[in-house]
Amino acid sequence: MNSDKSNKWGRIAILFFEFMIVLTIFSRAASNAIRAKVTVTKPVKQTILHNQEIYGSISPKDYFIQYVDAGLIVKSVQVVAGQRVEKGDVLFTVDVKRLKDEIAKNDAITVSAEMKKYLDGGGKYKAEKSGLVSRIMVEAGERTTDGVAVMIAEAAGDVYLTAELSWDALSAIRDDSQFILNAGSNMEMVYNLSDVVIGMKEGASYEDAYTLTMTVPGEVFPVGSSVSVLISNKSETFSYCIPLRCLRMNAEGQYFVYLTEEQDTVLGKELVAKEMIVTVLDKNSRYAAIEGSYLSGRPIIESVNKVISDGSRVKIIE
């Protein structure tokens, strides 16, 4: 009888322990299911960049001027302002037939060297230099006047970059500012404050009318193009910088981060999120510099797959 009772209680004990094991397994599975998956980072030493983007246009530094004699009838114009030409390209043509008729009818007309050039060359008026046509001073069907026929902007060599500066952009410029130009093909050109001239916009009388002018290479920045200029300022070097998305704000307007730390629970040691109020020293759109050596080397939660709060169980994923 006693033996039967002992066996009975022994089986009950075994069943109880088996039940507890199963319960523990289910508890751990449930715990894993509700834990937030997080990625973490650690503070690093770096500077914080403050950038402001403006846009400028490229204009020629020098012009080449071509002249024409008066009284020639323009038959057709082959170019327009802003068009790039090479040396020898035809800019406009003179009506050679009418020129010959006028010479034949009027003995008083002396054939000049320029007239002879048109008569022998089929009336072609050619570019004497490569560049960008800035102004064309003749019109088809009209007679030329003695003076400037064409102004060609020299595209080779140095050119001007001019950009308007708002008051905010002007205020952002410091002695150590850098001006980073997007030169295309993932190439940048960096200039310092000593390379730029800042002044009032011509004819303006209000404080927002400032311009920035700098000399840049024409072979990199074509005349007439638009160029991005990044006004870049570096902060001092901070010991503890984190990605901006690590930074959060509570209802009182205080910045905080979530650290991760181990905590004893009935299921053993588990990783939890721990809220830590921080002081922000500087920040931009990507990084924040925070105060506190107590954060040195400690994992800070950067991203989560669900909403968490102080004490939430978390699991670090790579």
Side-chain angles (χ1 to χ4, degrees), residues 143-268:
R143 288 188 182 272
T144 59
T145 55
D146 192 21
V148 177
V150 180
M151 292 177 64
I152 297 178
E154 296 193 29
D158 290 337
V159 293
Y160 286 129
L161 184 153
T162 305
E164 291 191 9
L165 286 174
S166 67
W167 179 251
D168 287 341
L170 180 66
S171 302
I173 296 175
R174 309 185 317 209
D175 290 343
D176 60 348
S177 292
Q178 290 188 319
F179 302 83
I180 305 171
L181 275 57
N182 180 1
S185 301
N186 296 320
M187 185 175 76
E188 294 179 339
M189 298 187 71
V190 181
Y191 294 82
N192 298 315
L193 184 60
S194 59
D195 300 314
V196 307
V197 175
I198 297 171
M200 288 286 290
K201 187 176 179 181
E202 188 177 350
S205 58
Y206 51 94
E207 67 175 9
D208 272 8
Y210 291 92
T211 59
L212 175 149
T213 305
M214 53 200 303
T215 301
V216 296
E219 60 270 18
V220 179
F221 303 101
V223 170
S225 62
S226 177
V227 179
S228 163
V229 182
L230 206 62
I231 303 172
S232 182
N233 295 311
K234 280 185 180 180
S235 70
E236 62 181 278
T237 300
F238 295 103
S239 297
Y240 306 102
C241 295
I242 58 174
L244 189 65
R245 63 179 181 167
C246 294
L247 201 61
R248 295 164 169 82
M249 182 179 285
N250 61 24
E252 286 73 41
Q254 297 172 304
Y255 285 113
F256 71 93
V257 295
Y258 283 121
L259 307 176
T260 60
E261 63 178 36
E262 283 191 338
Q263 192 173 81
D264 289 320
T265 70
V266 292
L267 298 177

